[in-house]
Amino acid sequence: MKRIATGAALTVGALAVTGLAFAPAALAVAPTTATLTADCGSFGGGAATLTATQNGTAATMTLKSSAVKAPIGLGADSITSTLTLVKAGGGTTTFTAKENPAMAAGDDVQVGPLPGTVASGDSLEAFGGSLKMSVLGITITCTATGPQSPGPFVFD
């Protein structure tokens, strides 16, 4: 009985190792965080941080910025946002949703996660794109004043 149990344990272990060897590699975006300076017209300007995630062809972007402050307390999921990023080879990719945490008056604005679709090898940059936010019926458009740092998001 002990031999059967040991043999079964070895078989299960070997199958587990084999499964790991053939498991698909996790897809990742690099960098996962980038900073930029944004100009939001009469609504202000300043530093912004973009955070990216990837799961296959699905990606999300979250933006937090001191460039725009919440004018009043805002409830969760009350800002409709469209983030447009420029592809290195031409064209754009958009990330759109009505996603944001609740914010008190004067808080830095944060939107996302905003979902979008990417392809392997996509290189996306905020400079040349825009963020459009609809807050209480007012549209705020922000643009990057230069390239993001440390560089564009590159998706596996």
Side-chain angles (χ1 to χ4, degrees), residues 22-148:
F22 292 108
L27 296 177
V29 58
T32 56
T33 303
T35 58
L36 56 105
T37 301
D39 177 4
C40 300
S42 61
F43 295 97
T49 302
L50 277 172
T51 303
T53 64
Q54 179 184 8
N55 185 5
T57 60
T60 63
M61 292 285 175
T62 302
L63 181 134
K64 185 170 184 177
S65 177
S66 60
V68 178
K69 303 288 186 185
I72 61 172
L74 297 170
D77 303 333
S78 60
I79 302 173
T80 301
S81 304
T82 299
L83 175 65
T84 302
L85 299 177
V86 176
K87 288 184 181 184
T92 60
T93 299
T94 58
F95 297 83
T96 302
K98 191 172 187 175
E99 291 280 339
N100 63 274
M103 291 171 264
D107 282 356
D108 291 350
V109 167
Q110 180 176 332
V111 295
L114 308 175
T117 303
V118 296
S120 180
D122 276 355
S123 177
L124 303 178
E125 166 71 57
F127 187 51
S130 67
L131 171 66
K132 291 186 181 190
M133 298 177 286
S134 179
V135 183
L136 303 171
I138 298 168
T139 299
I140 300 168
T141 301
C142 300
T143 56
T145 60
Q148 66 194 40

